[in-house]
Amino acid sequence: MWKTDPSAMVGAVAALTHRPLEPFIAPLRLTLCDTPSQSLAGPSVNMRFALHAFTPTPVPLRYKVDTVFHESLHPFVVQYVPRGSRLLQAHRSESACVLNHLHLLALQKAVLLFLGETAALQQVISIDSQLPSGCWAWSLLNETETSYQQYVAELVRDT
């Protein structure tokens, strides 16, 4: 699934931000170990909860495609969130994990909406809400119908 969906997602990032995502795409590692999905040394996605052998109610594989995309966005967002972001300043009382995900989740949402993938977006929000990570930034991004757009705007290259 990742081999068929990413070009549209990568293209949507470029269309929305006027910046290429390709230089930030690293080889992907899938794991069944007891480690969360992360991007510290390149994207690594835990596939355990997508397997019937591990859980009676596995998450859809489409959600894992979105997780791969999410982890691939981390270095892009780190590079392009402006120093002194007024949006991060406004939420400085939030946890570091929430602050690290505001622009990322906003861009992920923008991409999925750009591609008409509203069902996938709702699935991501629903499943993410069940995660114990404490990085729940969706409520801030969904305060209004356009809240997320402010964060994406901070990532856009001035043309």
Side-chain angles (χ1 to χ4, degrees):
M1 288 179 80
W2 175 242
K3 286 186 177 186
T4 59
D5 289 342
S7 61
M9 295 169 120
V10 168
V13 169
L16 292 164
T17 66
H18 309 289
R19 298 178 188 276
L21 178 61
E22 290 90 347
F24 299 94
I25 302 292
L28 169 68
R29 288 184 309 273
L30 301 177
T31 181
L32 296 175
C33 297
D34 189 18
T35 57
S37 298
Q38 56 84 29
S39 63
L40 295 175
S44 174
V45 174
N46 187 314
M47 296 297 291
R48 293 170 104 187
F49 287 96
L51 301 175
H52 284 284
F54 184 74
T55 180
T57 55
V59 297
L61 285 178
R62 170 58 206 230
Y63 176 75
K64 289 302 180 175
V65 169
D66 291 309
T67 304
V68 170
F69 182 61
H70 172 111
E71 297 305 338
S72 297
L73 283 177
H74 272 288
F76 177 89
V77 169
V78 165
Q79 177 73 32
Y80 294 122
V81 169
R83 293 197 192 287
S85 161
R86 66 176 179 79
L87 296 168
L88 293 182
Q89 271 301 110
H91 297 294
R92 65 183 169 271
S93 63
E94 296 289 343
S95 71
C97 192
V98 168
L99 295 175
N100 289 336
H101 282 86
L102 285 169
H103 288 83
L104 188 148
L105 293 176
L107 184 54
Q108 187 173 3
K109 177 177 181 170
V111 164
L112 291 172
L113 291 174
F114 182 85
L115 297 174
E117 297 283 352
T118 55
L121 174 61
Q122 291 310 312
Q123 183 179 78
V124 167
I125 293 169
S126 174
I127 294 171
D128 282 0
S129 72
Q130 300 170 45
L131 298 175
S133 68
C135 293
W136 182 250
W138 285 113
S139 58
L140 295 172
L141 298 172
N142 293 329
E143 279 181 333
T144 71
E145 200 167 305
T146 60
S147 294
Y148 74 98
Q149 292 173 347
Q150 302 170 70
Y151 297 88
V152 174
E154 283 196 334
L155 299 171
V156 174
R157 177 189 302 167
D158 295 329
T159 54

